Amino acid sequence: MVRDQIDRIGVVGAGTMGGGIAQVGATYGYDIVMRDVEQSFVEGGFERIADSLERLAGRDALPAAPDTIRERITGTTDTAALSDCDVVVEAAPEELKIKRDVFADLEDACDDDILLATNTSTISITSIAAGLEHPERVVGLHFMNPVPIMEGVEVIVGEKTTDEAVSLAHEVAQSLEKTTWEADDKPGFVTNRILMPWINEGIRAYDEGVASKEDIDTGMELGTNVPMGPLTLADHIGLDICLHASETLAEELGDRYTPAYLLRRKVEAGDLGKKTGEGFYEYD
Ligand SMILES: NC(=O)c1ccc[n+]([C@@H]2O[C@H](COP(=O)([O-])OP(=O)(O)OC[C@H]3O[C@@H](n4cnc5c(N)ncnc54)[C@H](O)[C@@H]3O)[C@@H](O)[C@H]2O)c1
């Protein structure tokens, strides 16, 4: 049984995704408790949320004033503060051990009828839930980056996840005006399984001299009607994140997911894309 009266949402992690999920939840009227491991990370999350809300307010894209939305979010470093949430979404770093520890702590802190969701991009939901007393209420709720802008959310069904938990996950995401689709707990789910080889092939095409980086991106944008070509998109996602996701998929699915040589070299050189000012392109 999962509780279906949702008033308060817990978010674990105040980084790129956790902050975005907290912001969108608050935008649609939920009370939010956002937890990170250090107060400075919580404050960083609030700063990014404030900036994003200001930008959206400037475009008249918010249903309430930024301050009203912001005040619905409580920051904390204490897992116990999540105990009165009706659903918790985890957006901690993409490492199985971290996620397992977070879920073990959530199981201790929260009632047994609380839906526990993970925003993982590539890790198996079943692996994250393994060892829990109640793995049946663990589900994947894969928001896309940037959360306030991207409309899609992938719902991922673990080996033990109940139909009830899956339905509630769809409902929660849809209440945030997101459109959902569902994937089985297979490596990469729908999005990253297909996106990562596409990005790696774009990088290989550039490295092997098929075309300039600009022409590869333009060719894919205009030739296949996607909003960003593979090199621009990789820079936006973060080259370290693309590398990590590709490595995880290669472990599970074999050689066709082997990361491109140039992706690895860029990450080794510290050029991680937009966030460091340089990836395949340079940024101010
Ligand atoms: N960034 C993306 O484009 C993207 C897109 C979809 C999904 N994801 C997934 O979302 C998750 C979070 O990614 P992100 O980009 O927001 O990472 P991030 O590094 O920006 O944020 C992670 C946050 O979690 C905090 N954290 C670490 N351990 C914690 C713990 N035990 N409890 C609470 N907080 C903890 C960190 O301090 C950090 O603030 C990952 O699983 C990632 O794969 C990321």
Side-chain angles (χ1 to χ4, degrees):
M1 283 284 283
V2 280
R3 186 183 303 175
D4 58 5
Q5 172 63 41
I6 310 295
D7 298 313
R8 185 181 290 261
I9 298 178
V11 180
V12 177
T16 307
M17 299 305 288
I21 296 164
Q23 176 183 327
V24 170
T27 299
Y28 289 96
Y30 291 103
D31 290 326
I32 305 291
V33 181
M34 178 175 75
R35 185 208 170 230
D36 209 302
V37 283
E38 285 185 27
Q39 190 55 31
S40 62
F41 299 150
V42 175
E43 281 159 19
F46 274 119
E47 279 167 28
R48 285 186 293 277
I49 290 169
D51 287 348
S52 172
L53 287 172
E54 282 309 321
R55 277 197 305 278
L56 291 168
R59 281 187 246 150
D60 237 359
L62 291 176
D67 282 352
T68 308
I69 294 172
R70 152 73 191 78
E71 281 161 16
R72 294 178 186 142
I73 307 173
T74 308
T76 183
T77 56
D78 183 8
T79 302
L82 299 166
S83 63
D84 59 352
C85 291
D86 304 307
V87 49
V88 179
V89 184
E90 168 273 321
E94 188 75 347
E95 271 183 45
L96 179 58
K97 180 169 182 337
I98 293 179
K99 293 195 187 289
R100 277 198 175 147
D101 288 349
V102 166
F103 276 79
D105 289 347
L106 289 174
E107 192 159 70
D108 285 345
C110 301
D111 289 346
D112 291 350
D113 63 347
I114 300 303
L115 183 76
L116 300 181
T118 170
N119 190 52
T120 182
S121 314
T122 51
I123 300 175
S124 156
I125 310 307
T126 309
S127 301
I128 292 171
L132 295 180
E133 209 174 310
H134 291 290
E136 70 280 357
R137 40 93 172 247
V138 178
V139 68
L141 204 50
H142 182 201
F143 288 84
M144 308 290 140
N145 184 23
V147 183
I149 306 292
M150 296 290 281
E151 192 197 326
V153 175
E154 188 165 46
V155 173
I156 303 135
V157 187
E159 205 56 42
K160 301 251 171 172
T161 316
T162 58
D163 291 348
E164 204 190 359
V166 172
S167 299
L168 183 59
H170 282 284
E171 277 168 36
V172 170
Q174 287 163 8
S175 74
L176 307 176
E177 296 208 349
K178 302 295 185 193
T179 300
T180 54
W181 63 92
E182 208 170 294
D184 195 12
D185 190 18
K186 302 264 177 2
F189 321 126
V190 172
T191 46
N192 282 318
R193 185 179 181 114
I194 296 169
L195 179 63
M196 286 305 148
W198 184 78
I199 284 178
N200 276 290
E201 199 49 42
I203 297 170
R204 283 190 201 99
Y206 169 50
D207 201 19
E208 290 171 19
V210 172
S212 69
K213 57 194 173 192
E214 292 83 1
D215 279 359
I216 287 171
D217 280 342
T218 304
M220 293 313 291
E221 282 165 31
L222 302 184
T224 69
N225 206 19
V226 292
M228 276 183 214
L231 302 171
T232 303
L233 182 57
D235 274 0
H236 274 76
I237 293 172
L239 302 191
D240 53 334
I241 291 181
C242 293
L243 177 61
H244 190 265
S246 304
E247 286 173 336
T248 306
L249 290 169
E251 274 169 32
E252 300 269 357
L253 296 171
D255 287 351
R256 70 189 202 270
Y257 284 87
T258 302
Y261 169 80
L262 187 57
L263 176 63
R264 201 180 288 285
R265 294 308 298 265
K266 289 259 180 209
V267 173
E268 280 168 357
D271 294 337
L272 306 183
K274 211 171 170 202
K275 62 187 167 190
T276 59
E278 187 168 349
F280 291 103
Y281 299 93
E282 287 183 11
Y283 302 88
D284 294 333

